PDB file of all heavy atoms in Angstrom:
ATOM      1  N   VAL A1115      -2.543  31.947  11.952  1.00  0.00           N
ATOM      2  CA  VAL A1115      -2.839  31.247  13.180  1.00  0.00           C
ATOM      3  C   VAL A1115      -1.464  30.851  13.664  1.00  0.00           C
ATOM      4  O   VAL A1115      -0.604  30.294  12.848  1.00  0.00           O
ATOM      5  CB  VAL A1115      -3.781  30.044  12.885  1.00  0.00           C
ATOM      6  CG1 VAL A1115      -3.897  29.280  14.191  1.00  0.00           C
ATOM      7  CG2 VAL A1115      -5.093  30.510  12.445  1.00  0.00           C
ATOM      8  N   ASN A1116      -1.271  30.959  14.981  1.00  0.00           N
ATOM      9  CA  ASN A1116       0.124  30.558  15.547  1.00  0.00           C
ATOM     10  C   ASN A1116      -0.100  29.487  16.547  1.00  0.00           C
ATOM     11  O   ASN A1116      -1.020  29.547  17.485  1.00  0.00           O
ATOM     12  CB  ASN A1116       0.711  31.788  16.217  1.00  0.00           C
ATOM     13  CG  ASN A1116       1.245  32.713  15.283  1.00  0.00           C
ATOM     14  OD1 ASN A1116       2.342  32.583  14.654  1.00  0.00           O
ATOM     15  ND2 ASN A1116       0.558  33.814  14.953  1.00  0.00           N
ATOM     16  N   TYR A1117       0.771  28.432  16.497  1.00  0.00           N
ATOM     17  CA  TYR A1117       0.755  27.306  17.512  1.00  0.00           C
ATOM     18  C   TYR A1117       2.179  27.403  18.147  1.00  0.00           C
ATOM     19  O   TYR A1117       3.243  27.511  17.365  1.00  0.00           O
ATOM     20  CB  TYR A1117       0.646  26.031  16.710  1.00  0.00           C
ATOM     21  CG  TYR A1117      -0.766  25.775  16.137  1.00  0.00           C
ATOM     22  CD1 TYR A1117      -0.890  26.125  14.693  1.00  0.00           C
ATOM     23  CD2 TYR A1117      -1.821  25.239  16.808  1.00  0.00           C
ATOM     24  CE1 TYR A1117      -2.145  25.970  14.138  1.00  0.00           C
ATOM     25  CE2 TYR A1117      -3.003  25.032  16.169  1.00  0.00           C
ATOM     26  CZ  TYR A1117      -3.181  25.401  14.799  1.00  0.00           C
ATOM     27  OH  TYR A1117      -4.404  25.134  14.178  1.00  0.00           O
ATOM     28  N   HIS A1118       2.228  27.073  19.324  1.00  0.00           N
ATOM     29  CA  HIS A1118       3.441  26.821  20.052  1.00  0.00           C
ATOM     30  C   HIS A1118       3.327  25.545  20.805  1.00  0.00           C
ATOM     31  O   HIS A1118       2.337  25.299  21.580  1.00  0.00           O
ATOM     32  CB  HIS A1118       3.815  27.880  21.041  1.00  0.00           C
ATOM     33  CG  HIS A1118       5.114  27.699  21.726  1.00  0.00           C
ATOM     34  ND1 HIS A1118       6.357  27.881  21.111  1.00  0.00           N
ATOM     35  CD2 HIS A1118       5.562  27.365  23.016  1.00  0.00           C
ATOM     36  CE1 HIS A1118       7.283  27.607  21.908  1.00  0.00           C
ATOM     37  NE2 HIS A1118       6.806  27.323  23.036  1.00  0.00           N
ATOM     38  N   ILE A1119       4.277  24.680  20.625  1.00  0.00           N
ATOM     39  CA  ILE A1119       4.312  23.270  21.215  1.00  0.00           C
ATOM     40  C   ILE A1119       5.494  23.302  22.185  1.00  0.00           C
ATOM     41  O   ILE A1119       6.610  23.420  21.788  1.00  0.00           O
ATOM     42  CB  ILE A1119       4.497  22.160  20.094  1.00  0.00           C
ATOM     43  CG1 ILE A1119       3.294  22.272  19.070  1.00  0.00           C
ATOM     44  CG2 ILE A1119       4.413  20.866  20.840  1.00  0.00           C
ATOM     45  CD1 ILE A1119       3.517  21.322  17.951  1.00  0.00           C
ATOM     46  N   GLU A1120       5.218  23.142  23.470  1.00  0.00           N
ATOM     47  CA  GLU A1120       6.250  23.099  24.501  1.00  0.00           C
ATOM     48  C   GLU A1120       6.311  21.648  25.066  1.00  0.00           C
ATOM     49  O   GLU A1120       5.313  21.200  25.631  1.00  0.00           O
ATOM     50  CB  GLU A1120       6.038  24.065  25.640  1.00  0.00           C
ATOM     51  CG  GLU A1120       7.007  24.015  26.712  1.00  0.00           C
ATOM     52  CD  GLU A1120       6.777  24.935  27.900  1.00  0.00           C
ATOM     53  OE1 GLU A1120       5.673  25.599  27.885  1.00  0.00           O
ATOM     54  OE2 GLU A1120       7.591  25.128  28.733  1.00  0.00           O
ATOM     55  N   ILE A1121       7.425  20.982  24.871  1.00  0.00           N
ATOM     56  CA  ILE A1121       7.569  19.651  25.380  1.00  0.00           C
ATOM     57  C   ILE A1121       7.887  19.783  26.919  1.00  0.00           C
ATOM     58  O   ILE A1121       8.988  20.114  27.330  1.00  0.00           O
ATOM     59  CB  ILE A1121       8.604  18.830  24.697  1.00  0.00           C
ATOM     60  CG1 ILE A1121       8.485  18.833  23.127  1.00  0.00           C
ATOM     61  CG2 ILE A1121       8.705  17.410  25.197  1.00  0.00           C
ATOM     62  CD1 ILE A1121       7.208  18.143  22.678  1.00  0.00           C
ATOM     63  N   THR A1122       6.843  19.585  27.769  1.00  0.00           N
ATOM     64  CA  THR A1122       6.985  19.922  29.086  1.00  0.00           C
ATOM     65  C   THR A1122       7.563  18.782  29.991  1.00  0.00           C
ATOM     66  O   THR A1122       8.485  19.001  30.722  1.00  0.00           O
ATOM     67  CB  THR A1122       5.631  20.337  29.650  1.00  0.00           C
ATOM     68  OG1 THR A1122       4.660  19.273  29.439  1.00  0.00           O
ATOM     69  CG2 THR A1122       5.125  21.669  29.042  1.00  0.00           C
ATOM     70  N   GLU A1123       7.031  17.632  29.794  1.00  0.00           N
ATOM     71  CA  GLU A1123       7.534  16.535  30.520  1.00  0.00           C
ATOM     72  C   GLU A1123       7.584  15.250  29.577  1.00  0.00           C
ATOM     73  O   GLU A1123       6.744  14.406  29.512  1.00  0.00           O
ATOM     74  CB  GLU A1123       6.420  16.124  31.680  1.00  0.00           C
ATOM     75  CG  GLU A1123       6.302  17.224  32.692  1.00  0.00           C
ATOM     76  CD  GLU A1123       5.210  16.839  33.730  1.00  0.00           C
ATOM     77  OE1 GLU A1123       5.516  15.993  34.553  1.00  0.00           O
ATOM     78  OE2 GLU A1123       4.243  17.435  33.720  1.00  0.00           O
ATOM     79  N   PRO A1124       8.592  15.170  28.827  1.00  0.00           N
ATOM     80  CA  PRO A1124       8.796  14.136  27.821  1.00  0.00           C
ATOM     81  C   PRO A1124       8.747  12.689  28.366  1.00  0.00           C
ATOM     82  O   PRO A1124       8.161  11.809  27.787  1.00  0.00           O
ATOM     83  CB  PRO A1124      10.090  14.467  27.155  1.00  0.00           C
ATOM     84  CG  PRO A1124      10.866  15.216  28.160  1.00  0.00           C
ATOM     85  CD  PRO A1124       9.870  16.097  28.790  1.00  0.00           C
ATOM     86  N   GLU A1125       9.238  12.479  29.648  1.00  0.00           N
ATOM     87  CA  GLU A1125       9.262  11.159  30.209  1.00  0.00           C
ATOM     88  C   GLU A1125       7.819  10.727  30.441  1.00  0.00           C
ATOM     89  O   GLU A1125       7.628   9.513  30.694  1.00  0.00           O
ATOM     90  CB  GLU A1125      10.192  11.088  31.391  1.00  0.00           C
ATOM     91  CG  GLU A1125       9.710  11.972  32.561  1.00  0.00           C
ATOM     92  CD  GLU A1125      10.076  13.393  32.442  1.00  0.00           C
ATOM     93  OE1 GLU A1125      10.624  13.865  31.382  1.00  0.00           O
ATOM     94  OE2 GLU A1125       9.894  14.193  33.519  1.00  0.00           O
ATOM     95  N   HIS A1126       6.849  11.708  30.668  1.00  0.00           N
ATOM     96  CA  HIS A1126       5.475  11.333  30.863  1.00  0.00           C
ATOM     97  C   HIS A1126       4.625  11.653  29.708  1.00  0.00           C
ATOM     98  O   HIS A1126       3.434  11.727  29.807  1.00  0.00           O
ATOM     99  CB  HIS A1126       4.974  12.217  32.090  1.00  0.00           C
ATOM    100  CG  HIS A1126       5.671  11.897  33.373  1.00  0.00           C
ATOM    101  ND1 HIS A1126       5.840  10.620  33.899  1.00  0.00           N
ATOM    102  CD2 HIS A1126       6.452  12.683  34.244  1.00  0.00           C
ATOM    103  CE1 HIS A1126       6.503  10.542  34.981  1.00  0.00           C
ATOM    104  NE2 HIS A1126       6.976  11.843  35.237  1.00  0.00           N
ATOM    105  N   HIS A1127       5.201  11.900  28.491  1.00  0.00           N
ATOM    106  CA  HIS A1127       4.590  12.026  27.139  1.00  0.00           C
ATOM    107  C   HIS A1127       3.699  13.295  27.160  1.00  0.00           C
ATOM    108  O   HIS A1127       2.667  13.240  26.468  1.00  0.00           O
ATOM    109  CB  HIS A1127       3.712  10.772  26.968  1.00  0.00           C
ATOM    110  CG  HIS A1127       4.406   9.444  27.328  1.00  0.00           C
ATOM    111  ND1 HIS A1127       5.480   9.013  26.694  1.00  0.00           N
ATOM    112  CD2 HIS A1127       4.036   8.595  28.217  1.00  0.00           C
ATOM    113  CE1 HIS A1127       5.818   7.823  27.214  1.00  0.00           C
ATOM    114  NE2 HIS A1127       4.968   7.545  28.204  1.00  0.00           N
ATOM    115  N   LEU A1128       4.112  14.313  27.845  1.00  0.00           N
ATOM    116  CA  LEU A1128       3.198  15.495  27.901  1.00  0.00           C
ATOM    117  C   LEU A1128       3.818  16.804  27.105  1.00  0.00           C
ATOM    118  O   LEU A1128       5.058  16.992  27.148  1.00  0.00           O
ATOM    119  CB  LEU A1128       3.039  15.953  29.408  1.00  0.00           C
ATOM    120  CG  LEU A1128       2.203  14.895  30.215  1.00  0.00           C
ATOM    121  CD1 LEU A1128       2.230  15.315  31.659  1.00  0.00           C
ATOM    122  CD2 LEU A1128       0.791  14.622  29.676  1.00  0.00           C
ATOM    123  N   ALA A1129       2.925  17.501  26.601  1.00  0.00           N
ATOM    124  CA  ALA A1129       3.296  18.757  25.928  1.00  0.00           C
ATOM    125  C   ALA A1129       2.138  19.803  26.225  1.00  0.00           C
ATOM    126  O   ALA A1129       1.089  19.459  26.474  1.00  0.00           O
ATOM    127  CB  ALA A1129       3.436  18.554  24.447  1.00  0.00           C
ATOM    128  N   ARG A1130       2.467  21.059  26.115  1.00  0.00           N
ATOM    129  CA  ARG A1130       1.629  22.106  26.366  1.00  0.00           C
ATOM    130  C   ARG A1130       1.458  22.832  25.020  1.00  0.00           C
ATOM    131  O   ARG A1130       2.449  23.270  24.396  1.00  0.00           O
ATOM    132  CB  ARG A1130       2.083  23.166  27.435  1.00  0.00           C
ATOM    133  CG  ARG A1130       1.170  24.277  27.688  1.00  0.00           C
ATOM    134  CD  ARG A1130      -0.003  23.740  28.531  1.00  0.00           C
ATOM    135  NE  ARG A1130      -0.930  24.823  29.018  1.00  0.00           N
ATOM    136  CZ  ARG A1130      -2.068  24.539  29.495  1.00  0.00           C
ATOM    137  NH1 ARG A1130      -2.544  23.353  29.699  1.00  0.00           N
ATOM    138  NH2 ARG A1130      -2.733  25.609  29.954  1.00  0.00           N
ATOM    139  N   ILE A1131       0.250  23.020  24.525  1.00  0.00           N
ATOM    140  CA  ILE A1131      -0.011  23.705  23.298  1.00  0.00           C
ATOM    141  C   ILE A1131      -0.678  25.046  23.495  1.00  0.00           C
ATOM    142  O   ILE A1131      -1.564  25.214  24.281  1.00  0.00           O
ATOM    143  CB  ILE A1131      -0.977  22.896  22.400  1.00  0.00           C
ATOM    144  CG1 ILE A1131      -0.556  21.388  22.398  1.00  0.00           C
ATOM    145  CG2 ILE A1131      -1.097  23.542  21.026  1.00  0.00           C
ATOM    146  CD1 ILE A1131       0.821  21.175  21.789  1.00  0.00           C
ATOM    147  N   THR A1132      -0.109  26.061  22.759  1.00  0.00           N
ATOM    148  CA  THR A1132      -0.728  27.365  22.835  1.00  0.00           C
ATOM    149  C   THR A1132      -1.189  27.768  21.412  1.00  0.00           C
ATOM    150  O   THR A1132      -0.298  27.749  20.497  1.00  0.00           O
ATOM    151  CB  THR A1132       0.250  28.458  23.393  1.00  0.00           C
ATOM    152  OG1 THR A1132       0.699  28.056  24.718  1.00  0.00           O
ATOM    153  CG2 THR A1132      -0.373  29.904  23.387  1.00  0.00           C
ATOM    154  N   LEU A1133      -2.413  28.097  21.188  1.00  0.00           N
ATOM    155  CA  LEU A1133      -2.973  28.385  19.901  1.00  0.00           C
ATOM    156  C   LEU A1133      -3.379  29.841  20.023  1.00  0.00           C
ATOM    157  O   LEU A1133      -4.194  30.161  20.926  1.00  0.00           O
ATOM    158  CB  LEU A1133      -4.090  27.482  19.508  1.00  0.00           C
ATOM    159  CG  LEU A1133      -4.808  27.518  18.254  1.00  0.00           C
ATOM    160  CD1 LEU A1133      -5.674  26.210  17.987  1.00  0.00           C
ATOM    161  CD2 LEU A1133      -5.720  28.686  18.029  1.00  0.00           C
ATOM    162  N   THR A1134      -3.042  30.658  19.050  1.00  0.00           N
ATOM    163  CA  THR A1134      -3.418  32.045  19.030  1.00  0.00           C
ATOM    164  C   THR A1134      -4.119  32.368  17.668  1.00  0.00           C
ATOM    165  O   THR A1134      -3.591  32.206  16.677  1.00  0.00           O
ATOM    166  CB  THR A1134      -2.210  33.031  19.156  1.00  0.00           C
ATOM    167  OG1 THR A1134      -1.486  32.552  20.408  1.00  0.00           O
ATOM    168  CG2 THR A1134      -2.609  34.460  19.288  1.00  0.00           C
ATOM    169  N   LEU A1135      -5.326  32.877  17.920  1.00  0.00           N
ATOM    170  CA  LEU A1135      -6.073  33.369  16.755  1.00  0.00           C
ATOM    171  C   LEU A1135      -6.021  34.861  16.847  1.00  0.00           C
ATOM    172  O   LEU A1135      -6.498  35.430  17.833  1.00  0.00           O
ATOM    173  CB  LEU A1135      -7.557  32.887  16.804  1.00  0.00           C
ATOM    174  CG  LEU A1135      -7.807  31.294  16.683  1.00  0.00           C
ATOM    175  CD1 LEU A1135      -9.256  30.984  16.956  1.00  0.00           C
ATOM    176  CD2 LEU A1135      -7.358  30.810  15.478  1.00  0.00           C
ATOM    177  N   PRO A1136      -5.550  35.616  15.798  1.00  0.00           N
ATOM    178  CA  PRO A1136      -5.256  36.991  16.021  1.00  0.00           C
ATOM    179  C   PRO A1136      -6.652  37.917  15.973  1.00  0.00           C
ATOM    180  O   PRO A1136      -6.666  38.911  16.663  1.00  0.00           O
ATOM    181  CB  PRO A1136      -4.495  37.313  14.710  1.00  0.00           C
ATOM    182  CG  PRO A1136      -4.796  36.282  13.735  1.00  0.00           C
ATOM    183  CD  PRO A1136      -5.120  35.015  14.585  1.00  0.00           C
ATOM    184  N   THR A1137      -7.686  37.272  15.384  1.00  0.00           N
ATOM    185  CA  THR A1137      -8.872  38.135  15.336  1.00  0.00           C
ATOM    186  C   THR A1137     -10.073  37.244  15.314  1.00  0.00           C
ATOM    187  O   THR A1137     -10.028  36.170  14.705  1.00  0.00           O
ATOM    188  CB  THR A1137      -9.042  38.994  14.052  1.00  0.00           C
ATOM    189  OG1 THR A1137      -8.966  38.124  12.880  1.00  0.00           O
ATOM    190  CG2 THR A1137      -7.970  40.084  13.975  1.00  0.00           C
ATOM    191  N   SER A1138     -11.019  37.454  16.141  1.00  0.00           N
ATOM    192  CA  SER A1138     -12.296  36.662  16.177  1.00  0.00           C
ATOM    193  C   SER A1138     -13.374  37.611  16.661  1.00  0.00           C
ATOM    194  O   SER A1138     -13.179  38.510  17.462  1.00  0.00           O
ATOM    195  CB  SER A1138     -12.197  35.515  17.139  1.00  0.00           C
ATOM    196  OG  SER A1138     -12.097  35.883  18.442  1.00  0.00           O
ATOM    197  N   PRO A1139     -14.601  37.384  16.028  1.00  0.00           N
ATOM    198  CA  PRO A1139     -15.713  38.265  16.366  1.00  0.00           C
ATOM    199  C   PRO A1139     -16.249  37.895  17.770  1.00  0.00           C
ATOM    200  O   PRO A1139     -15.936  36.850  18.349  1.00  0.00           O
ATOM    201  CB  PRO A1139     -16.689  37.902  15.311  1.00  0.00           C
ATOM    202  CG  PRO A1139     -16.454  36.636  14.884  1.00  0.00           C
ATOM    203  CD  PRO A1139     -14.896  36.361  15.013  1.00  0.00           C
ATOM    204  N   ALA A1140     -17.192  38.714  18.290  1.00  0.00           N
ATOM    205  CA  ALA A1140     -17.864  38.337  19.570  1.00  0.00           C
ATOM    206  C   ALA A1140     -18.814  37.111  19.195  1.00  0.00           C
ATOM    207  O   ALA A1140     -19.164  36.964  18.113  1.00  0.00           O
ATOM    208  CB  ALA A1140     -18.671  39.518  19.988  1.00  0.00           C
ATOM    209  N   GLY A1141     -19.000  36.366  20.288  1.00  0.00           N
ATOM    210  CA  GLY A1141     -19.910  35.241  20.065  1.00  0.00           C
ATOM    211  C   GLY A1141     -19.131  33.974  20.452  1.00  0.00           C
ATOM    212  O   GLY A1141     -18.214  34.023  21.257  1.00  0.00           O
ATOM    213  N   GLU A1142     -19.542  32.827  19.790  1.00  0.00           N
ATOM    214  CA  GLU A1142     -18.870  31.531  20.220  1.00  0.00           C
ATOM    215  C   GLU A1142     -17.856  31.200  19.158  1.00  0.00           C
ATOM    216  O   GLU A1142     -18.048  31.366  17.932  1.00  0.00           O
ATOM    217  CB  GLU A1142     -19.935  30.525  20.269  1.00  0.00           C
ATOM    218  CG  GLU A1142     -20.894  30.618  21.472  1.00  0.00           C
ATOM    219  CD  GLU A1142     -21.883  29.408  21.594  1.00  0.00           C
ATOM    220  OE1 GLU A1142     -22.009  28.706  20.589  1.00  0.00           O
ATOM    221  OE2 GLU A1142     -22.345  29.248  22.763  1.00  0.00           O
ATOM    222  N   VAL A1143     -16.795  30.653  19.573  1.00  0.00           N
ATOM    223  CA  VAL A1143     -15.727  30.052  18.771  1.00  0.00           C
ATOM    224  C   VAL A1143     -15.604  28.584  19.127  1.00  0.00           C
ATOM    225  O   VAL A1143     -15.370  28.287  20.308  1.00  0.00           O
ATOM    226  CB  VAL A1143     -14.330  30.767  18.981  1.00  0.00           C
ATOM    227  CG1 VAL A1143     -13.270  30.279  18.067  1.00  0.00           C
ATOM    228  CG2 VAL A1143     -14.506  32.313  18.821  1.00  0.00           C
ATOM    229  N   VAL A1144     -15.634  27.752  18.125  1.00  0.00           N
ATOM    230  CA  VAL A1144     -15.521  26.324  18.294  1.00  0.00           C
ATOM    231  C   VAL A1144     -14.136  25.854  17.885  1.00  0.00           C
ATOM    232  O   VAL A1144     -13.753  25.903  16.782  1.00  0.00           O
ATOM    233  CB  VAL A1144     -16.656  25.530  17.568  1.00  0.00           C
ATOM    234  CG1 VAL A1144     -16.582  24.034  17.826  1.00  0.00           C
ATOM    235  CG2 VAL A1144     -17.986  26.039  17.921  1.00  0.00           C
TER     236      VAL A1144
END
Side-chain angles (χ1 to χ4, degrees):
V1115 176
N1116 287 281
Y1117 297 91
H1118 183 70
I1119 304 172
E1120 181 184 3
I1121 308 297
T1122 55
E1123 298 178 70
E1125 65 278 11
H1126 298 303
H1127 320 294
L1128 295 175
R1130 185 72 175 169
I1131 312 299
T1132 301
L1133 183 168
T1134 304
L1135 300 174
T1137 58
S1138 66
E1142 292 188 337
V1143 182
V1144 180

